[in-house]
Amino acid sequence: MTEQRVLIIDDEPDIRELLEITLLRMGLDTLTAGNVEEALVQIKAHEPNLCLTDMRLPDGSGIDIVRFLQKEYPHIPVAVITAYGSMDAAVEALKAGAYDFVSKPVDLPKLRDLIQTALQLTSGEKSQRPKAIDNTQPQGRILGSSPAMQILKSTIGKLARSQAPVYIHGESGSGKELVAHEIHLQSPRQKAPFIPVNCGAIPENLMESEFFGHKKGSFTGAVSDKQGLFQAAHKGTLFLDEVADLPLTMQVKLLRAIQERAIKPVGGLEEISVDIRILSATHKSLEHEVAAGNFRQDLYYRLNVIKLKVPPLRERQDDIELLADFFLKKIAERWQMPSIKLSHQARYMLLSYSFPGNVRELENILERASTLCEDNTIQADDLQLPQVTHSSSTHGHQQQASRPVLLSVPPDLVTPYAPQTSVSNTTNVTEQLWTPHTDEEAERNMIMEALDQTRWNRTKAAELLGMSFRQLRYRIQKYELDNH
């Protein structure tokens, strides 16, 4: 195995010596530099496996080192050492691409943990570096080739190399947990646990025990020691979904655990160090929650070091067909049935729909349609898409469609139903046959008139209207006409 080498960059000889001794005891080779110029020479000559740099240097800053490495040697992770309380500088370094940061005075045990984790990025073997996304293996991976998804995937690859907390925001059903999992899978923590937790699903009185664990006898019902979520995610990633739902009392305790990188179980006397990366998400606007006093500003800044937006499905319509085919294949495999196909009209309807529920809604629509379709082919009516259009509304800084939007289907894509028999005693209904573009109020009245005329013989009513029996059945349910 190739010996791993760490470059130490600091203008204080005593600090360089202390760090060098620490790394040598870890069995690592070391290089040293006292300024930016010397550091660049060492990097170009030796390509170290890791750089450890002070933030303040005589001829520049640690940010200069971070930016240089991001541009010229992106496979080399870099951690920065900041003065105590210089959180703004640390955040700036993380946003520039730093792997992590440590504060002065340096906590050597935490530094050793950081170095061991960071060196998994570059072990001297290319095969051990984080792998790029492989779209041929969709399970647990993100599908899509639209411009919006290409940007998202590229950003995920960069964020995976860092230890910076990432705040993932996006609408419900857009795939925030999948994005968080992908960051974990591409990170050096990929072999350690990924622990997702829905913060809104934990009762407030059990929340501290769930996060930090508890000792036997610490409260009624604590019959044995219990490990919390932080310990379960040790060396891995903890994903806090719907973090805006955390009560204020728990926000204080979570903030301290993140700052100290240590937790104290309920009823415990000693703190336990934890090495985890925090990812968080919510469909709400955290900025709005902070302004309303529902979310602590200091915790917001801790979680929102890097902000990542997951685009809604309506902003990446190029991916709808790919996702639909993937879900249909998965449904067919789960039900052990022949492959399910989309008709041309059904495919167009999906491409025309706005999907307010995003990817989750697409999957649910196809799941339902697969149970309704005949001959394993989903027709447009099987999709049961709403046909209403409403204006958008703004909540905080996030704009979302308040109701579903479905574009009209071009006449050349609609195959009219041809009645096989005629109905006697025609009225105005037969003079005004239904079309796919009939507005809802007129459509409802026409259906009621046809049903009354045929004494609720649905087959004859469908023939009278010029629609299929299935189309009529769906509209009777839609307008709740069964109760009439």
Side-chain angles (χ1 to χ4, degrees), residues 286-347:
L286 270 189
E287 294 88 346
H288 182 270
E289 295 299 304
V290 170
N294 298 325
F295 201 83
R296 291 181 62 94
Q297 188 176 52
D298 46 7
L299 179 58
Y300 167 71
Y301 286 128
R302 275 289 181 178
L303 297 176
N304 188 28
V305 173
I306 298 177
K307 191 173 185 177
L308 178 63
K309 180 187 177 184
V310 180
L313 188 53
R314 63 180 174 275
E315 291 181 8
R316 54 184 190 107
Q317 287 189 314
D318 293 349
D319 298 327
I320 291 176
E321 289 188 276
L322 176 65
L323 289 166
D325 291 340
F326 169 69
F327 288 137
L328 289 176
K329 181 180 179 182
K330 188 169 72 170
I331 291 168
E333 290 175 350
R334 185 168 65 246
W335 293 351
Q336 296 183 341
M337 60 186 297
S339 60
I340 308 169
K341 299 178 181 178
L342 286 166
S343 70
H344 185 53
Q345 294 95 329
R347 197 171 290 269

Side-chain angles (χ1 to χ4, degrees), residues 38-89:
E38 291 178 7
L40 299 186
V41 171
Q42 294 278 37
I43 291 169
K44 293 174 182 177
H46 302 286
E47 280 198 43
N49 302 92
L50 170 68
C51 289
L52 189 61
T53 179
D54 190 23
M55 183 61 75
R56 293 185 179 183
L57 298 168
D59 56 346
S61 72
I63 301 292
D64 298 325
I65 303 292
V66 173
R67 288 173 178 158
F68 172 78
L69 289 170
Q70 281 289 299
K71 182 179 179 181
E72 302 295 336
Y73 301 90
H75 60 281
I76 301 177
V78 54
V80 297
I81 302 173
T82 65
Y84 180 77
S86 300
M87 190 58 195
D88 290 342

Side-chain angles (χ1 to χ4, degrees), residues 374-448:
E374 298 175 358
D375 300 324
N376 296 319
T377 300
I378 295 175
Q379 304 294 338
D381 286 322
D382 297 322
L383 297 174
Q384 299 186 0
L385 297 178
Q387 299 188 35
V388 292
T389 303
H390 289 263
S391 59
S392 298
S393 62
T394 303
H395 176 68
H397 299 290
Q398 191 173 354
Q399 192 170 11
Q400 302 180 6
S402 57
R403 295 291 300 276
V405 178
L406 180 65
L407 305 181
S408 298
V409 180
D412 61 339
L413 284 180
V414 178
T415 303
Y417 176 78
Q420 296 178 352
T421 60
S422 60
V423 179
S424 59
N425 301 325
T426 58
T427 64
N428 290 336
V429 174
T430 57
E431 298 172 9
Q432 251 184 342
L433 285 181
W434 168 87
T435 73
H437 306 291
T438 305
D439 66 57
E440 289 190 353
E441 183 177 359
E443 182 179 69
R444 187 181 188 283
N445 292 335
M446 291 172 67
I447 292 171
M448 281 293 297

Side-chain angles (χ1 to χ4, degrees), residues 45 60 181 222 249 273 439 460 463:
H181 197 192
T249 53
S273 295
D439 66 57
K460 290 184 178 181
E463 293 173 353

